[in-house]
Amino acid sequence: MKSYAIAAIPGDGIGAEVIQAGMNVLKTLAARDGNFQLHIETFDWGSEYYLANDCMMPADGLEKLKKFDAIYFGSAGDPRVQDHISLWGLRLAICQPLEQYANVRPARLLPGIEGPLKNIGPGDLDWVIVRENTEGEYAGAGGRIHQGFGHEIGLDVAIFTREGTERIQRFALELARSRPAKKLTLVTKSNAQRHGMVMWDDTFAAIREDYPDLTIDKMLVDAMTTRMVLDPTSIDVVVATNLHADILSDLAAALTGSIGIAPTANLNPERQFPSMFEPIHGSAFDIMGKGVANPIGAFWSAVLMLEHLGEKIAATILMEAIERVTSYGNIMPADLGGSATTREITDAMIRLLEGHNI
Ligand code: NAD
Ligand code: MN
């Protein structure tokens, strides 16, 4: 029997709540499948850990993670810790050194969920947003000087490397090639940002001829937001920089009903290091501890993790269970207009995976 070592980092706020739910569902799925085992080790890293130890994860944390087949992550962010400390201390501290440069964010309208767009039903909105995940605007370069004085300066420098640009664009082109619609949109902002973004475009221009079978177009990021709302069926795969895709994918999540359902895979495509799977959302300070967080984003992220591990059948079964729950209608969480708790949705998933009706 195949066996996979999974590092679970539930983290903060509702991240911890939905990852617990996801682990329960994954355990049920593995038991039912019978062909693979998951050995999940949970790490207590996050803001609570930070308040006790002055760091979000221990110094040997990365070394520990390298031994796993995949990482299942909740969220980093706590009202008692500044956001840039929690984010840089954990999520970015993992993605960047583990070369998880391809952040893949599927956005699809699931059956039973009514999105905010008129005349758009399941099947009409089926996108994958590919986000550069190790450099660009989130490279971490910059600084602050004269802190606290009137002449203080704050500097964030976006870093685009030719290699980092080409590898994410090629990743997205290959992904587009594997999908039925075979369409790719390059998102840019080279009208205003006239150095790095122009190189981003030039890099793309040099490689796109390797993909004559794809329908390719290019859009400025601001125009892309209107296209997502007004002409959603024209979009298939989108590739964008770290910041642009971060923003576009939250919009995409909202257009598919709620940020609570949106999944993401932080991939190291070469498999030199483990990849990391997490819901797109954060700690949700306004609802944490109430037991009402929507766990679907965490479940869908588990689907992406199983696909990456090569467990395609289990991934399909899990996705079908998610869609049965959303189409059922009576087990909707609050963010999708219902009143079901995290627990009730998780229990419904487990009942389905055990072969019962909801
Ligand atoms: P957020 O995603 O936590 O919340 C935005 C809104 O969406 C809130 O109203 C929240 O209640 C709602 N929401 C999010 N997920 C939901 C779910 N599963 N079910 C129901 N409602 C849900 O974003 P934010 O408020 O900008 O950030 C809060 C904290 O989380 C910050 O500290 C931020 O830095 C952190 N954060 C972390 C990550 C990460 O670790 N990957 C991602 C985003 C935000
Ligand atoms: Mn984000």
Side-chain angles (χ1 to χ4, degrees), residues 12 14-15 18 47 73-79 81-84 86-87 90-92 105 131 246 250 258-262 264 266 276 278-288 292-298 333-336 342:
D12 303 327
I14 67 161
V18 297
S47 296
F73 186 86
S75 171
D78 183 290
V81 180
Q82 279 190 294
D83 284 347
H84 67 275
S86 51
L87 191 67
L90 197 55
R91 187 179 173 273
L92 295 180
R105 306 186 150 200
R131 168 182 176 186
D246 186 8
D250 269 30
S258 167
I259 194 171
I261 66 163
T264 185
N266 301 279
M276 180 160 82
E278 52 165 353
I280 280 185
H281 66 75
S283 305
F285 303 151
D286 49 341
I287 56 165
M288 63 187 193
V292 297
N294 182 350
I296 293 175
D335 57 317
L336 291 172
T342 312

Side-chain angles (χ1 to χ4, degrees), residues 112-295:
I113 295 181
E114 211 176 301
L117 299 177
K118 272 184 286 179
N119 306 321
I120 293 295
D124 295 333
L125 198 166
D126 183 0
W127 308 335
V128 183
I129 297 179
V130 176
R131 168 182 176 186
E132 200 297 315
N133 210 31
T134 51
E135 53 176 49
E137 306 86 345
Y138 298 175
R144 277 172 75 180
I145 52 171
H146 308 308
Q147 279 201 41
F149 293 102
H151 56 295
E152 179 170 358
I153 294 173
L155 203 64
D156 272 296
V157 183
I159 296 194
F160 299 93
T161 64
R162 188 95 190 192
E163 197 175 280
T165 301
E166 178 169 340
R167 68 182 180 179
I168 194 63
Q169 292 176 347
R170 279 201 189 274
F171 179 91
L173 286 157
E174 295 291 342
L175 179 71
R177 180 171 268 171
S178 74
R179 288 167 54 89
K182 294 194 191 304
K183 287 201 284 193
L184 179 110
T185 303
L186 177 83
V187 169
T188 184
K189 190 64 194 170
S190 50
N191 57 343
Q193 294 181 290
R194 57 194 179 147
H195 308 295
M197 284 280 79
V198 177
M199 190 193 76
W200 169 265
D201 292 1
D202 287 348
T203 305
F204 189 76
I207 61 173
R208 64 174 285 172
E209 59 207 40
D210 294 344
Y211 303 85
D213 48 326
L214 303 187
T215 307
I216 290 172
D217 61 8
K218 184 171 129 182
M219 272 205 115
L220 298 174
V221 65
D222 38 355
M224 193 64 194
T225 60
T226 46
R227 176 165 167 201
M228 285 168 68
V229 174
L230 300 177
D231 192 12
T233 55
S234 73
I235 300 168
D236 182 26
V237 176
V238 175
V239 63
T241 68
N242 214 329
L243 172 67
H244 292 164
D246 186 8
I247 298 167
L248 293 180
S249 55
D250 269 30
L251 173 59
L255 296 177
T256 57
S258 167
I259 194 171
I261 66 163
T264 185
N266 301 279
L267 299 179
N268 172 245
E270 291 74 24
R271 294 176 186 260
Q272 189 185 0
F273 301 113
S275 295
M276 180 160 82
F277 303 84
E278 52 165 353
I280 280 185
H281 66 75
S283 305
F285 303 151
D286 49 341
I287 56 165
M288 63 187 193
K290 295 186 177 156
V292 297
N294 182 350

